[in-house]
């Protein structure tokens, strides 16, 4: 009997003990984090699947795992198909599987802390179709049988210095509290750790890649806060930093606190898009009048202040030094032909670690040579990695967490001489990158309105890429941050000054090569003579050469060539004083005019 | 006592008789038509306001009219401010006015035939806030006191020949009926006259500018139809044309038919976005299981078939002849300086009337000289019209209904020598027009994704325009047709081949001049070597010179100049054989290369 069969069997026994037929196992924690702590890796423990998104449904005689197109192959390798039917999460969704497999009268259990209300409504409808029912379980049955479940991280939450944060927590709390008071709302429940980290100017080490302290909080209209966090995670220095307006509660008391909060029909705000069903259950149980609204920290957190922008620029100078040293090293080492993906990305990480304020990577590096570059969410392993061979592209998408900023950059490097088709595609991706980076737009414009600018040059040749053009980025916080984004998906969120987004069009030829050119860009006001509208544009933050050896100059117009030459001159002038002479010499060549 | 005061007084008496305090008077008919029959001009009868959008609310001691920014000035001129408070429909919405002015316990009445369900839900919430109630009235109290209310149009519905429609009604009905059957839906209620006209291949003359027969219909899953239409509007030829699968009912029997339709919980489809609350009331009263869904005629009607596209091309050739004769005439007559807006647009209409299959204008012509061109929805009157003066722009936005197609075109003509600023703005508008007309995009792209292409050149200078870039256009039907459009407003409707939209960026300098360059363009498949996606683009239908005298060539790039020269060559080659020698000579000059 395999480990997985054993685990699945013990979960089914526990389900029977709790009087339910089935259970939902999402790849989610209590905060809907992108990166979850080891103690929340329930899906991986049960099924073996280690991807970043997915869901398992367990019934007495059947079980299935649902993953998206990125992970179809990986799930096939990691999950025992005899135990879990493998399904595409949108083409054969879990709701349909439940409707077809749950039997009349059976109860499907779920952990209300791990699902949002809209999810639960969909699963309840599916169970209803089958003649069964969905039931909220007080005690997660998987946790009951997961004997060696990792303990929560003991690492402390630490103050995030005002010289990086730019605004005091008092000021931030005051601003949001005033709008709560104006809306006659008693309090807001905050469930996103990055919102709380931003609001209280603290950081932590509880999940990989993002400096989050896992916690919940309640902010009241009088600007006081109760922070619910594991005991021991607040050393005296952090406790003192939080000040007297922040009370501290134990996580196990959070539910009772929510019930007390809304007593007497008080108006309590929570975000149905991100707060779990359990939060709403507790508020309702206490008698609250629930005011559903987006997390009020999202917009002020996304619109970086001047200090955060200055920090982002400084972090990107350091990141640019590391990248440039790396690219110079690669240019010298690659012709030997012996370089492989993992060693190359390790070298990049070594250069980054030497930078001041470096705290770690901001996500797992994508280091893809040749055909591996065409796998959008590729992660190199010893089994999969390829050598960097002449006539190929090498794609590296990486980023770091610095105390003063978060970076995310992709460069595609020609190893040897690219084919005319590769040059054509690279140049179209670059034209899209430039079109977005250089555009101006009036106040009120959303990222979805700008998305086509980055795709236009590819579209003209009948080409496209199947991912968004840009995601929001935090300030020493999540490398993926909302609500701003540049995407085909319709959005009502205007871009406002201070928001940082990525600009990362790409092109992928399966089995051959992948191209992506990514800089981070910040929304900035633009002053133009005769402008009749409040006008915004982008400031490029990322500083690293774009490989001129991969460009077909004949496809570029004068304005595009001018943009590239100006960008390269800025990279050269900024970084030359910060690198060693050999790197500086390489940089001088790499950033020369295209014309 | 004025006529309006008298009418308002008699309405209030009737409201008291019916036992309600107030009443909603929208500028809408029973079909949510854009152009309404004279018998539905209730808002104009009550208030004097003749604009195309608005709402009045009448209470015992107060009344208000709500109009949008286009109509603020017009409402001030037309409506007695002592009788009706004047409000901006979005800045001081009717819901807030109702909440503030309805008294506790009072009842606000509405005619359920004139409002959609979402509207009624908003007004009910507003009345509830005031402690009052909203009530549906069986008999419209305004109609009860409108003694000289025009009779419905007696003009007949006529067959729309297959050589224009391209697909038989049987085929259209069969296609939609099959999808009803597949969804286990008994029938769909059709309330949009243009949907019914398309489905049954009939046309009429019941409203201005759009060849609609006012009617309702029910299409069943067995492909049979009951058409509810005034007796006498179906002459024998039309009745025979409809065939045996189409039954005919009287409009006064429509309600009972809806109640019978859903009896026994049968599944009946209707569109909450366009069907009135009365439709849903009747279906519910009959016990129907209502399936809310968009009108199933919308997409097949919007995606024109090959015959309709061929008709559109032919109609645009005739329209292009009229426009070109007009522009040649204007070029000769304008320097005299005595031309005025109304006489000029009358001249254009005269040329159009000479075209084969001409049936009338498709909307009121916008003929704006100088500063009047900056008023987006301008309509010339003897009091407002200006002369076409040297150094100004003349903007003319006009269109026609032909049996084989509907046209809509805007040209902006330099009278004498435009200023450098005017040339700059004209050229930016033209660049936007060309960017949209020449773009290619993958299957699945929506109009909102393309909108920024048309604004980009203006945005770079801090300029923009406050209207959509393009609206859908029907085939000898509405000049404004959904669901396709090119707009900042987010849309989930992909552009599909055969859809016709306008491409009409503009620029308006209040008090000085207006610019708009509009062609109709059709979505067409594009074959490109090496294309990896199903690729679409646009075919320009409109054929008329764009004024080269207003262009600043230095702002145009080679691809843009090539687009313009190629378009002009096509206009010249197509129209020269169709116009008189003097017009042909002018056309040869007007369409010469820009370079």
């Amino acid at each position: 009997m395999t480990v997985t069969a054993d685990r699945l069997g013990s979960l089914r026994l526990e389900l029977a003990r709790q009087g339910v037929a089935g259970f939902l196992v999402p790849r989610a924690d209590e905060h809907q984090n992108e990166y979850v702590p080891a103690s929340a890796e329930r899906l991986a423990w049960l099924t073996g699947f280690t991807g970043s998104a997915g869901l398992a449904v367990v019934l007495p005689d059947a079980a299935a795992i649902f993953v998206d197109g990125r992970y179809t192959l990986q799930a096939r390798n990691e999950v025992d198909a005899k135990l879990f039917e493998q399904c595409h999460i949108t083409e054969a969704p879990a709701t349909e599987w439940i409707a077809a497999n749950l039997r009349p009268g059976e109860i499907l259990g779920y952990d209300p802390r791990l699902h949002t209300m809209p999810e639960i409504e969909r699963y309840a409808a599916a169970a209803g179709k089958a003649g069964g029912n969905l039931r909220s379980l007080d005690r997660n049955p998987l946790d009951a049988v997961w004997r060696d479940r990792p303990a929560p991280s003991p690492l402390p939450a630490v103050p995030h210095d005002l010289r990086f944060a730019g605004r005091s927590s008092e000021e931030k709390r005051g601003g949001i509290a005033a709008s709560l008071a104006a809306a006659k709302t008693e309090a807001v429940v905050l469930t996103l750790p990055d919102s709380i980290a931003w609001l209280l100017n603290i950081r932590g080490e509880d999940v990989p890649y993002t400096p989050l302290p896992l916690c919940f909080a309640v902010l009241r209209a009088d600007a006081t806060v109760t922070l619910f966090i594991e005991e021991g995670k607040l050393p005296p220095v952090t406790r003192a930093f939080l000040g007297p307006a922040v009370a501290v509660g134990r996580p196990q008391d959070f539910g009772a606190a929510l019930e007390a909060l809304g007593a007497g029909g008080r108006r309590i705000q929570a975000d149905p898009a991100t707060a779990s069903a359990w939060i709403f259950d507790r508020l309702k149980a206490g008698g609250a009048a629930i005011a559903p609204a987006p997390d009020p920290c999202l917009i002020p957190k996304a619109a970086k202040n001047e200090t955060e922008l200055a920090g982002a620029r400084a972090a990107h100078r350091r990141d640019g030094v590391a990248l440039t040293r790396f690219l110079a090293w690669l240019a010298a080492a690659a012709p030997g032909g012996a370089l492989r993906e993992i060693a190359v990305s390790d070298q990049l990480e070594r250069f980054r670690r030497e930078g001041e304020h470096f705290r770690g990577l901001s996500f797992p590096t994508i280091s893809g040579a040749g055909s591996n570059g065409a796998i959008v969410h590729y992660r190199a392993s010893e089994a999969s990695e390829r050598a960097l061979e002449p006539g190929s592209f090498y794609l590296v998408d990486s980023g770091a967490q610095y105390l003063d900023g978060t970076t995310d950059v992709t460069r595609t490097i020609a190893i040897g001489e690219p084919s005319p088709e590769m040059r054509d595609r690279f140049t179209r991706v670059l034209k899209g990158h430039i079109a977005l980076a250089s555009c101006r737009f009036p106040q009120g414009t959303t990222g979805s309105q700008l998305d086509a600018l980055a795709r236009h040059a590819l579209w003209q040749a009948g080409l496209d890429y199947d991912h968004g053009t840009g995601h929001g980025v935090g300030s020493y916080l999540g490398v993926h941050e909302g609500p701003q984004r540049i995407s085909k998906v319709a959005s009502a969120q205007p871009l406002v000054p201070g928001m940082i987004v990525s600009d990362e069009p790409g092109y992928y030829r399966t089995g051959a090569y992948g191209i992506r050119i990514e800089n981070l860009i910040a929304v900035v006001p633009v002053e133009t003579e005769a402008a009749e509208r409040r006008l915004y544009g982008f400031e490029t933050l990322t500083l690293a050469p774009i490989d001129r050896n991969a460009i077909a100059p004949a496809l570029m117009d004068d304005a595009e060539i001018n943009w590239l030459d100006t960008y390269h001159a800025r990279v050269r002038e900024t970084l030359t004083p910060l690198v060693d002479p050999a790197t500086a010499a390489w940089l001088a060549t790499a950033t020369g005019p295209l014309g």
Side-chain angles (χ1 to χ4, degrees), chain A residues 309 313 496-501 520-524 537-541:
Chain A
L309 287 173
R313 291 182 194 109
V496 301
M499 283 180 169
I500 297 176
V501 291
L520 298 192
I521 56 182
V523 181
V524 292
F538 294 111
E539 172 190 343
T540 294
L541 299 171

Side-chain angles (χ1 to χ4, degrees), chain A residues 219-446:
Chain A
L219 169 63
R220 291 181 204 78
D222 66 2
T224 63
V225 167
T226 304
L227 174 65
F228 295 88
I229 192 165
E230 290 290 341
E231 289 178 295
K233 293 185 88 65
L234 285 188
V237 60
T238 308
R239 186 64 194 89
F241 175 83
L242 289 171
V246 178
V248 177
R250 299 183 311 168
Q252 55 266 45
D253 297 333
F254 182 42
L258 289 176
E259 292 183 19
L261 195 63
R266 282 197 292 262
R267 191 174 159 86
I268 308 298
Q269 183 175 321
D271 185 348
T274 53
S276 72
W278 180 82
I279 302 284
F280 288 90
D281 291 344
R282 295 281 67 72
L283 288 172
K284 276 180 218 152
I290 299 176
D295 181 327
C297 302
L298 292 181
I299 301 284
K301 171 163 63 67
K304 276 72 183 169
N305 60 47
E306 277 309 318
T307 304
E308 290 171 318
L309 287 173
R313 291 182 194 109
H316 277 90
R317 279 195 295 275
R318 268 171 263 127
D319 211 54
V321 165
L323 267 164
T324 300
R325 291 175 67 193
F326 166 76
L327 293 170
W329 168 84
L330 189 66
L339 293 180
R340 296 176 70 79
E341 291 166 0
I342 296 176
V344 169
S345 62
D346 285 350
Q347 182 64 47
L348 172 55
E349 186 172 339
R350 272 193 288 278
F351 285 127
R352 275 206 169 98
R353 287 192 176 280
E354 295 177 20
E356 193 189 9
H357 296 328
F358 176 87
R359 303 286 296 157
L361 299 185
S362 58
F363 61 95
T365 297
I366 297 171
S367 172
S371 59
N372 285 339
I375 302 168
V376 174
H377 291 89
Y378 177 67
R379 194 159 174 184
S381 69
E382 284 185 21
S384 69
E385 70 168 339
R386 298 174 57 96
L388 280 58
E389 291 170 353
S392 74
F393 277 146
Y394 168 65
L395 183 156
V396 57
D397 186 350
S398 67
Q401 295 285 3
Y402 301 89
L403 285 177
D404 48 359
T406 302
T407 68
D408 181 2
V409 50
T410 308
R411 287 296 180 267
T412 303
I413 315 298
I415 308 297
E417 182 68 20
S419 72
E421 180 197 285
M422 289 161 75
R423 283 184 190 278
D424 175 277
R425 304 301 189 260
F426 185 95
T427 309
R428 289 179 188 277
V429 171
L430 178 59
K431 286 164 75 81
H433 179 94
I434 295 172
L436 179 61
S438 62
C439 82
R440 296 162 168 192
F441 50 92
Q443 182 178 34
T445 301
T446 68

Side-chain angles (χ1 to χ4, degrees), chain A residues 416-498:
Chain A
E417 182 68 20
S419 72
E421 180 197 285
M422 289 161 75
R423 283 184 190 278
D424 175 277
R425 304 301 189 260
F426 185 95
T427 309
R428 289 179 188 277
V429 171
L430 178 59
K431 286 164 75 81
H433 179 94
I434 295 172
L436 179 61
S438 62
C439 82
R440 296 162 168 192
F441 50 92
Q443 182 178 34
T445 301
T446 68
S448 54
Q449 288 178 254
L450 301 183
D451 178 77
L453 300 177
R455 299 181 193 269
H456 187 255
L458 286 163
W459 283 357
Q460 300 326 295
L463 312 172
D464 201 355
Y465 50 94
D466 289 323
H467 57 72
T469 299
H471 54 82
V473 176
S475 183
Y476 186 44
L477 271 178
V479 74
H480 297 140
E481 165 183 286
Q484 74 275 28
R485 61 175 173 174
I486 315 283
S487 161
K488 286 185 178 184
V489 179
S491 159
Q493 176 59 52
L495 295 168
V496 301

Side-chain angles (χ1 to χ4, degrees), chain A residues 194-238:
Chain A
D194 68 332
S195 286
I196 301 168
W198 171 85
L199 182 71
L200 300 180
N201 286 341
I202 56 175
R203 297 294 187 268
E205 301 181 57
D206 290 347
V207 300
Y209 305 112
T210 311
L212 296 181
L214 291 182
C215 54
F216 293 97
V218 171
L219 169 63
R220 291 181 204 78
D222 66 2
T224 63
V225 167
T226 304
L227 174 65
F228 295 88
I229 192 165
E230 290 290 341
E231 289 178 295
K233 293 185 88 65
L234 285 188
V237 60
T238 308

Side-chain angles (χ1 to χ4, degrees), chain A residues 65-70 72 87-96 122:
Chain A
I65 184 165
F66 302 84
V67 301
D68 63 47
R70 291 175 291 172
T72 310
C87 304
H88 190 286
I89 204 160
T90 53
E91 290 166 15
T95 47
E96 287 180 15
R122 284 201 306 276

